[in-house]
């Protein structure tokens, strides 16, 4: 499940284990340097490129996971 993978990446990159799917990245102490690490992990581990603006627009595990899922779904 994408959300589980995203949560695991966030936990590792933010150095926390208590992240819920609706926690805000920035409220958890996230900042741009950490965001770049998360972007790299998304590319390496999930095979998807997530632009920086999408990280700002989707600041929770739930919303960024939905964005990633949408990127993986082929358009007709």
């Amino acid at each position: 499940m994408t959300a589980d993978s995203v949560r695991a990446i966030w936990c590792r990159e933010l150095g926390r284990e208590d992240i819920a799917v609706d926690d805000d990245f920035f409220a958890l102490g996230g900042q741009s340097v950490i965001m770049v690490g998360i972007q790299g992990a998304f590319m390496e581990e999930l095979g998807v490129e997530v632009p920086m603006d999408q990280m700002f627009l989707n600041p929770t595990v739930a919303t960024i996971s939905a964005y990633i899922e949408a990127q993986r779904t082929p358009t007709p």
Side-chain angles (χ1 to χ4, degrees), residues 10-25:
W10 280 31
C11 286
R12 182 179 69 236
E13 295 295 324
L14 288 163
R16 302 176 66 130
E17 291 298 321
D18 60 341
I19 297 174
V21 296
D22 59 348
D23 285 341
D24 185 279
F25 173 78

Side-chain angles (χ1 to χ4, degrees), residues 34-47:
I34 296 170
M35 192 180 285
V36 170
I38 289 172
Q39 280 183 299
F42 286 165
M43 190 65 160
E44 185 175 314
E45 297 173 38
L46 303 178

Side-chain angles (χ1 to χ4, degrees), residues 24-65:
D24 185 279
F25 173 78
F26 302 102
L28 294 168
Q31 36 91 357
S32 59
V33 174
I34 296 170
M35 192 180 285
V36 170
I38 289 172
Q39 280 183 299
F42 286 165
M43 190 65 160
E44 185 175 314
E45 297 173 38
L46 303 178
V48 65
E49 186 175 346
V50 178
M52 188 72 68
D53 66 328
Q54 291 300 320
M55 298 284 289
F56 281 99
L57 292 170
N58 298 289
T60 68
V61 169
T63 59
I64 201 66
S65 297

